[in-house]
Amino acid sequence: MAEILIVTNGPIGIRFSVVELARKLTLAGHQTTLVGTASLEELAKAYDLAFRKLPEYRKPQLSPDLTLSSRFKNWLNRDQRRRGSWDAHSPDAWSALLDDEDPDLLLIDGEMHEHILLAGAADTPLVTLNTFASVWRTPGTPPPHTSIRPGIGLPGTWVGMWLAWRFYFLRKRYRAVERWLRWQGCDRLAVLRAAASELAYDLDAVTDRNQWLMPFIWSAYPALSLHARELEFFPETVEKADRPSIVFTGPLILKKRSESPLSISDRKRLDELYRRRATGGSKEYALLLVTLGSHFSAHLPWLRRLFKSIENRPEWELIVTLGGQQMLDVAVPADRVHVFSWLPQLEALVHVDAAVVHGGINTIDECLYFGVPMLVCSGGETDMSGNQARVLHHGLGLAAQPDRDTPLAIEQKLQRLLKEATFRKRAQAFASTLRRYEEEHTAEKAVGSLLQEQLQRAP
């Protein structure tokens, strides 16, 4: 079978996804190797997957805070400084790794631009990976970082969405110029352009700056989107726009992931909560999970109001996970709010009635996989607001308004999630959709098809 490299240096969400992808492809008979940093190596070892360490990134000594004379000198020396920035990514070591592995297919995080550039210039067959909501501009949809929903209010009209895209592109151009000036011609795009020129590689021919991600999207290469097409606003049209092949694999949830064990006391606390939920002290009893990301991107004033919102609901209990942090700068009512530095989230989702989440796509995917409706309090980063909008669009949960929600408003939203059966029914129906991706081996088939395409293109 084929030799496949899977590469990422991204956060924990995509690390879990690529490990699950590697596991599936290995079981399908492919020789699969993961490439990444030490944190990915730990996961690879836990699942007995082949691993190569990503060549070291050595941060260059470039500071924008310089005197006028130093800035002028930097402009004169920008070619040398660009070379230093490029060399910081260890391009020779990365090229040597590709030569050594000689993969039939390279599956690589779509934001690893330096590595993609070198692989593309060397004619390595590659596919980009992403876990965002659709990164391509699709007719009738808003930019993925906004909370705009098609058909809702003036922003959701075609005029409103067109204006949102125009404003975004203007901001994107402004930021590109600002960075170019701030770094004296050594911003990331300038460095990539210089490297591409040296490699005689037409960067403009293979990228598109008129899409969502900064500074561009690799438009010449197929893409695997590691989540569900059905979560898009208009699933039937998302793959029909003028673009290269894009395939949705469904969420790649690493269900049997190796995780740090809970302390004995935390394990007892958690098991007692599960027991109470299973036995049900009353028909009104509910257990809710509050999970706000591996970096705990919480809106703390809103979190205080969330805790206050259950004061008049003695039948509700909250499980709060801090994403690995040890402390929480919020007064916690100890009787019904149970705080954990970390807990096994997939295990908890089996037991809870609803979840309060921050809008990260991996957490949303995991909630939907277990049919759990959500109250989304967007952390406002990258695509979180767009993910929140998609949850609302499909009736899978409700949205928090961090700056406006009172404790009573939060209580009422949670009450709706728990009492209106449509939320759980829709979430459970969505769970069936996500599980079909697994049952039909969509990810494995998609990679197999991409391999066939590459074989047909080969001379």
Side-chain angles (χ1 to χ4, degrees):
M1 297 295 283
E3 293 189 14
I4 299 173
L5 286 188
I6 306 179
V7 187
T8 185
N9 59 359
I12 193 167
I14 193 170
R15 293 201 301 269
F16 282 152
S17 295
V18 299
V19 168
E20 177 66 3
L21 179 60
R23 196 185 67 81
K24 288 178 179 293
L25 294 176
T26 300
L27 290 174
H30 299 295
Q31 184 175 331
T32 309
T33 301
L34 287 165
V35 181
T37 57
S39 54
L40 183 61
E41 182 177 14
E42 293 175 10
L43 281 169
K45 287 181 177 178
Y47 293 92
D48 198 26
L49 297 168
F51 178 83
R52 292 286 301 268
K53 190 170 183 180
L54 191 70
E56 182 182 3
Y57 172 70
R58 303 178 302 276
K59 188 174 182 178
Q61 298 299 312
L62 295 177
S63 172
D65 302 318
L66 300 168
T67 64
L68 185 61
S69 61
S70 295
R71 287 177 180 273
F72 180 71
K73 183 178 179 181
N74 281 343
W75 279 110
L76 295 178
N77 295 329
R78 60 184 180 275
D79 288 343
Q80 180 181 348
R81 294 169 62 241
R82 286 171 182 168
R83 166 54 64 184
S85 295
W86 176 251
D87 288 343
H89 293 273
S90 303
D92 291 341
W94 169 242
S95 295
L97 188 153
L98 287 178
D99 288 341
D100 185 40
E101 292 289 337
D102 190 22
D104 296 299
L105 192 63
L106 172 67
L107 306 178
I108 184 166
D109 188 326
E111 293 187 279
M112 295 180 67
H113 301 307
E114 293 78 9
H115 300 81
I116 294 172
L117 194 160
L118 278 168
D123 291 325
T124 304
L126 70 88
V127 174
T128 63
L129 305 175
N130 76 78
T131 57
F132 294 113
S134 179
V135 295
W136 292 96
R137 184 181 180 187
T138 305
T141 61
H145 66 284
T146 71
S147 59
I148 297 172
R149 286 187 284 156
I152 304 298
L154 180 60
T157 63
W158 74 266
V159 174
M161 289 186 285
W162 182 87
L163 288 172
W165 277 108
R166 289 300 101 197
F167 177 77
Y168 175 70
F169 289 142
L170 286 172
R171 184 164 65 93
K172 190 174 182 180
R173 295 291 188 269
Y174 167 79
R175 288 180 64 182
V177 173
E178 186 271 336
R179 288 175 180 175
W180 186 75
L181 291 171
R182 184 170 181 246
W183 293 98
Q184 299 97 57
C186 286
D187 58 291
R188 191 180 190 188
L189 181 57
V191 172
L192 288 166
R193 285 190 178 283
S197 177
E198 187 173 321
L199 292 165
Y201 183 66
D202 190 349
L203 192 64
D204 290 331
V206 295
T207 60
D208 185 351
R209 295 181 66 189
N210 293 312
Q211 299 294 339
W212 179 61
L213 285 176
M214 293 189 180
F216 50 64
I217 286 176
W218 293 90
S219 55
Y221 302 114
L224 280 184
S225 182
L226 309 183
H227 81 118
R229 178 174 59 84
E230 289 79 4
L231 196 59
E232 297 298 334
F233 289 118
F234 305 110
E236 66 280 2
T237 63
V238 73
E239 291 173 314
K240 295 179 181 178
D242 183 19
R243 65 187 63 155
S245 172
I246 178 169
V247 180
F248 291 86
T249 65
L252 296 168
I253 297 172
L254 188 60
K255 293 185 288 296
K256 296 181 180 179
R257 55 200 187 209
S258 176
E259 298 179 297
S260 302
L262 290 169
S263 67
I264 294 174
S265 60
D266 280 352
R267 183 75 263 176
K268 286 182 178 179
R269 283 199 298 148
L270 199 54
D271 287 343
E272 175 59 22
L273 288 168
Y274 296 159
R275 186 195 65 77
R276 285 208 291 273
R277 198 267 186 181
T279 56
S282 72
K283 292 182 179 179
E284 303 298 320
Y285 182 84
L287 185 62
L288 298 97
L289 174 66
V290 181
T291 174
L292 299 170
S294 57
H295 299 291
F296 200 67
S297 54
H299 188 284
L300 292 182
W302 186 87
L303 197 61
R304 294 186 184 98
R305 283 175 253 139
L306 168 65
F307 293 160
K308 190 173 179 62
S309 73
I310 70 168
E311 286 183 354
N312 298 321
R313 293 287 181 175
E315 70 278 13
W316 293 355
E317 294 193 77
L318 305 182
I319 303 173
V320 182
T321 174
L322 304 184
Q325 293 192 120
Q326 298 299 318
M327 299 296 292
L328 180 64
D329 186 23
V330 175
V332 177
D335 56 340
R336 285 179 293 115
V337 178
H338 309 276
V339 178
F340 296 81
S341 171
W342 172 89
L343 58 78
Q345 183 164 293
L346 299 186
E347 174 190 293
L349 286 169
V350 174
H351 297 277
V352 300
D353 299 284
V356 179
V357 303
H358 66 313
I361 189 64
N362 294 292
T363 299
I364 287 174
D365 281 343
E366 290 178 358
C367 288
L368 293 176
Y369 186 88
F370 291 98
V372 177
M374 292 160 279
L375 175 60
V376 185
C377 182
S378 172
E381 300 173 18
T382 57
D383 61 336
M384 289 179 181
S385 294
N387 295 336
Q388 174 184 277
R390 285 160 172 77
V391 168
L392 295 179
H393 179 79
H394 292 289
L396 302 166
L398 297 170
Q401 295 180 303
D403 297 322
R404 294 171 56 188
D405 280 345
T406 63
L408 178 59
I410 297 171
E411 177 190 343
Q412 290 171 342
K413 290 175 181 180
L414 293 175
Q415 178 72 353
R416 283 190 62 194
L417 282 181
L418 295 169
K419 292 302 178 184
E420 295 181 20
T422 53
F423 290 112
R424 181 161 286 275
K425 286 180 180 178
R426 287 171 181 159
Q428 290 175 340
F430 215 92
S432 298
T433 297
L434 299 188
R435 290 169 190 268
R436 278 200 297 274
Y437 279 95
E438 287 186 327
E439 294 163 2
E440 295 172 5
H441 302 284
T442 303
E444 299 95 309
K445 290 177 181 177
V447 173
S449 295
L450 290 166
L451 276 165
Q452 280 299 116
E453 290 178 17
Q454 296 300 331
L455 288 173
Q456 290 170 4
R457 291 176 187 172

